[in-house]
């Protein structure tokens, strides 16, 4: 069965620090990869997605993610976080032809002002 | 456009009671999904639908039923609620394409006593 792992459950950073959240998946075939964000009290919003082409994907609010096929990873990065980035971040994967989106368990990011 | 809306926002049930959660989307999306979100487990797919009149089981379908009588609506039913169904329920919709982006509703918080 396909699985998605987010090893960092809770990350605490100060403003202006750099961020990298890990995401690894287990499926070896063609995959589509997503990062969603859930701000406190809000619903999930798409940050960025990858399906082919340049493995470095840029999303909204200064976030980017790099797909490394050999490592089955799709890590999320931001050079300088802001207090407003405090949220829960979910990595999600689906196979090229499948309808189901498999989510990781999420990483809670707390940015201290 | 309202996007994806969910009714109700919050509900308390007693064990054994039944209820229906309503999801509506105004984006003319073909696909609709129901997820549950539990602490430390991310989102798990309950049921989904690829079109009006069709539904399919996801990862955790037991104890739930769904119906998609109209393209814009996707109903999730609990026939006999159990405390294990205490969760936050999210509906999502998407349009079929090379890479689907799922758009999420605001969620329904359900407490089963």
């Amino acid at each position: 069965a396909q699985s998605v792992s987010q090893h960092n459950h809770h990350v605490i950073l100060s403003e202006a620090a750099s961020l990298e959240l890990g995401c690894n998946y287990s499926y070896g075939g063609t995959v589509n990869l997503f990062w969603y964000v859930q701000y406190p009290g809000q619903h999930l919003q798409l940050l960025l997605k990858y399906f082919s082409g340049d493995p470095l994907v840029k999303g909204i609010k200064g976030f980017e993610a790099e797909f490394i096929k050999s490592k089955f990873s799709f890590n999320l990065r931001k050079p300088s976080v802001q207090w407003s980035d405090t949220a829960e971040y979910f990595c999600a994967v689906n196979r090229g032809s499948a309808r189901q989106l498999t989510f990781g368990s999420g990483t809670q990011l707390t940015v201290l002002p | 456009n309202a996007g994806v809306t969910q009714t109700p926002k919050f509900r308390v049930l007693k064990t054994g009671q039944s209820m229906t959660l309503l999801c509506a989307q105004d984006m003319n999306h073909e696909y609709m999904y129901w997820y549950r979100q539990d602490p430390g487990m991310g989102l798990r797919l309950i049921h989904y639908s690829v079109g009006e009149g069709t539904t399919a089981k996801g990862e955790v379908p037991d104890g739930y039923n769904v119906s998609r009588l109209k393209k814009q609506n996707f109903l999730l039913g609990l026939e006999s609620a159990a405390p294990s169904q205490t969760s936050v329920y999210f509906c999502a919709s998407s349009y079929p394409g090379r890479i689907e982006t799922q758009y999420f509703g605001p969620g329904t918080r359900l407490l089963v006593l």
Side-chain angles (χ1 to χ4, degrees), chain B residues 32-68:
Chain B
M32 296 187 76
Y33 309 82
W34 275 109
Y35 294 88
R36 58 178 291 172
Q37 183 184 28
D38 301 293
M41 300 187 76
L43 278 77
R44 293 180 292 168
L45 183 65
I46 305 171
H47 286 281
Y48 64 100
S49 168
V50 298
E52 186 177 322
T54 69
T55 63
K57 293 180 180 179
E59 182 185 354
V60 289
D62 294 342
Y64 305 95
N65 56 74
V66 288
S67 64
R68 182 103 181 266

Side-chain angles (χ1 to χ4, degrees), chain A:
Chain A
Q2 185 173 316
S3 70
V4 180
S5 299
Q6 292 181 244
H7 302 294
N8 310 107
H9 296 297
H10 194 182
V11 173
I12 302 174
L13 296 173
S14 298
E15 275 194 316
S18 63
L19 170 72
E20 181 160 3
L21 301 182
C23 173
N24 289 90
Y25 60 94
S26 62
Y27 182 66
T30 301
V31 292
N32 298 320
L33 300 156
F34 304 79
W35 275 98
Y36 281 86
V37 60
Q38 186 176 27
Y39 297 103
Q42 296 188 27
H43 56 92
L44 276 78
Q45 303 171 40
L46 181 69
L47 265 183
L48 48 79
K49 60 188 178 186
Y50 169 84
F51 64 99
S52 68
D54 188 343
L56 185 62
V57 180
K58 293 194 185 298
I60 61 171
K61 304 186 180 186
F63 286 91
E64 64 179 32
E66 184 175 12
F67 171 51
I68 303 180
K69 190 173 182 179
S70 61
K71 294 185 178 180
F72 299 90
S73 70
F74 189 55
N75 292 356
L76 181 71
R77 301 195 293 245
K78 187 172 183 178
S80 177
V81 294
Q82 300 173 323
W83 177 78
S84 58
D85 292 325
T86 293
E88 191 157 18
Y89 293 81
F90 293 94
C91 180
V93 178
N94 79 338
R95 293 166 54 180
S97 59
R99 294 278 75 81
Q100 298 193 26
L101 199 58
T102 301
F103 283 82
S105 56
T107 297
Q108 175 64 49
L109 171 66
T110 300
V111 180
L112 303 175

Side-chain angles (χ1 to χ4, degrees), chain B residues 5 7 25 33 42 45 59 64 69 76 88 92 100 108 110:
Chain B
T5 58
T7 310
Q25 53 94 4
Y33 309 82
L45 183 65
E59 182 185 354
Y64 305 95
L69 299 179
L76 177 71
V88 181
E100 293 173 36
T108 294
L110 177 65

Side-chain angles (χ1 to χ4, degrees), chain B:
Chain B
N1 286 352
V4 181
T5 58
Q6 293 181 231
T7 310
K9 290 185 170 57
F10 177 69
R11 183 78 182 266
V12 179
L13 289 179
K14 294 181 179 178
T15 297
Q17 286 185 317
S18 64
M19 79 163 293
T20 300
L21 282 67
L22 170 64
C23 175
Q25 53 94 4
D26 61 1
M27 297 176 282
N28 201 34
H29 285 170
E30 290 292 330
Y31 302 154
M32 296 187 76
Y33 309 82
W34 275 109
Y35 294 88
R36 58 178 291 172
Q37 183 184 28
D38 301 293
M41 300 187 76
L43 278 77
R44 293 180 292 168
L45 183 65
I46 305 171
H47 286 281
Y48 64 100
S49 168
V50 298
E52 186 177 322
T54 69
T55 63
K57 293 180 180 179
E59 182 185 354
V60 289
D62 294 342
Y64 305 95
N65 56 74
V66 288
S67 64
R68 182 103 181 266
L69 299 179
K70 294 183 179 180
K71 185 177 182 179
Q72 63 268 33
N73 294 339
F74 194 29
L75 278 64
L76 177 71
L78 286 73
E79 289 186 349
S80 179
S84 61
Q85 293 178 305
T86 293
S87 187
V88 181
Y89 292 86
F90 286 99
C91 177
S93 70
S94 67
Y95 193 80
R98 173 88 190 278
I99 177 168
E100 293 173 36
T101 298
Q102 294 187 18
Y103 295 86
F104 286 81
T108 294
R109 189 173 295 274
L110 177 65
L111 175 62
V112 183
L113 301 175

